[in-house]
DNA sequence: GCCAACGTTGGC
DNA sequence: GCCAACGTTGGC
């Protein structure tokens, strides 16, 4: 089993939103590196749910991959914010996955706090200028974050 | 709202 | 294939 971290704007989907829904489609990824990580995910893999572009950026909980990568339907929907005019049903470059709620942390592990953890120094998340929205997490990093809850 | 950092696009 | 211009991300 592998570990990941995925960013979401809580206005779109928050950890509490996912908790309420139980499961959701994770779509709209429009970056090739992030997409390739989506495609590397397997059912059962777990990920840290990160809140970005919000008053309190940080890790807010845990989710699990419930369905492996499939073509992202939002790329084909003209009314979608994520519409890609170059995508066709036959050739859709973008991928989505389905995720399930696992845990909502009692408090958000804030970005500035995560940055203080030497065990997390290698994570793209805490590195200056990194905008990657989907990234792998090592078993050591996973355990370190769990210890901060 | 600002702006640093990065990815993508498109002219050449 | 280079690289300038542009768009986006995302913290602050």
């Amino acid at each position: 089993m592998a570990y990941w971290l995925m960013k979401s704007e809580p206005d779109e989907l928050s950890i509490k939103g996912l908790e309420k829904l139980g499961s959701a489609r994770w779509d709209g990824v429009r970056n090739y590196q992030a997409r390739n990580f989506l495609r590397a995910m397997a059912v059962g893999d777990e990920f840290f749910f990160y809140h970005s572009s919000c008053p309190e950026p940080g890790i807010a909980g845990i989710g699990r991959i419930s369905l492996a990568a499939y073509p992202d339907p939002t790329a084909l929907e003209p009314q979608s914010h994520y519409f890609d005019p170059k995508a066709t049903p036959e050739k859709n470059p973008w991928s989505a996955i389905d995720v399930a709620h696992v845990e909502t942390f009692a408090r958000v592990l804030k970005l500035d706090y995560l940055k203080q953890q030497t065990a997390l120094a290698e994570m793209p998340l805490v590195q200056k200028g990194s905008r990657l929205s989907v990234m792998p997490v090592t078993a050591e990093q996973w355990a370190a974050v769990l210890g901060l809850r």
Side-chain angles (χ1 to χ4, degrees), chain A residues 6-149:
Chain A
M6 299 204 287
K7 296 179 183 175
S8 176
E9 298 189 13
D11 286 348
E12 271 203 54
L13 180 66
S14 67
I15 187 68
K16 282 184 177 159
L18 180 59
E19 182 171 13
K20 196 170 268 183
L21 291 169
S23 65
R25 186 176 71 203
W26 200 284
D27 54 30
V29 171
R30 293 293 178 269
N31 168 282
Y32 285 105
Q33 200 181 352
R35 181 210 65 183
N36 291 343
F37 286 133
L38 281 187
R39 291 181 176 179
M41 292 176 178
V43 171
D45 284 1
E46 292 190 318
F47 65 97
F48 287 130
F49 194 119
Y50 180 88
H51 285 173
S52 68
S53 296
C54 60
E56 201 174 51
I59 296 175
I62 297 173
R64 179 185 292 116
I65 314 305
S66 55
L67 188 61
Y70 56 90
D72 182 350
T74 64
L76 305 173
E77 297 166 358
Q79 72 280 12
S80 170
H81 175 62
Y82 300 115
F83 177 64
D84 179 357
K86 284 182 282 190
T88 66
E90 295 75 28
K91 224 176 174 190
N92 183 346
W94 303 115
S95 297
I97 56 169
D98 287 359
V99 302
H101 179 267
V102 173
E103 179 179 341
T104 300
F105 291 169
R107 61 189 179 94
V108 173
L109 303 176
K110 290 197 270 182
L111 179 61
D112 57 359
Y113 181 54
L114 299 173
K115 282 181 174 170
Q116 295 168 19
Q117 311 301 321
T118 44
L120 305 179
E122 300 302 315
M123 287 192 68
L125 180 72
V126 301
Q127 282 160 21
K128 190 182 172 182
S130 171
R131 303 185 321 192
L132 195 58
S133 61
V134 181
M135 68 191 76
V137 172
T138 68
E140 292 76 16
Q141 291 162 349
W142 185 266
V145 172
L146 291 186
L148 300 173
R149 281 177 300 177

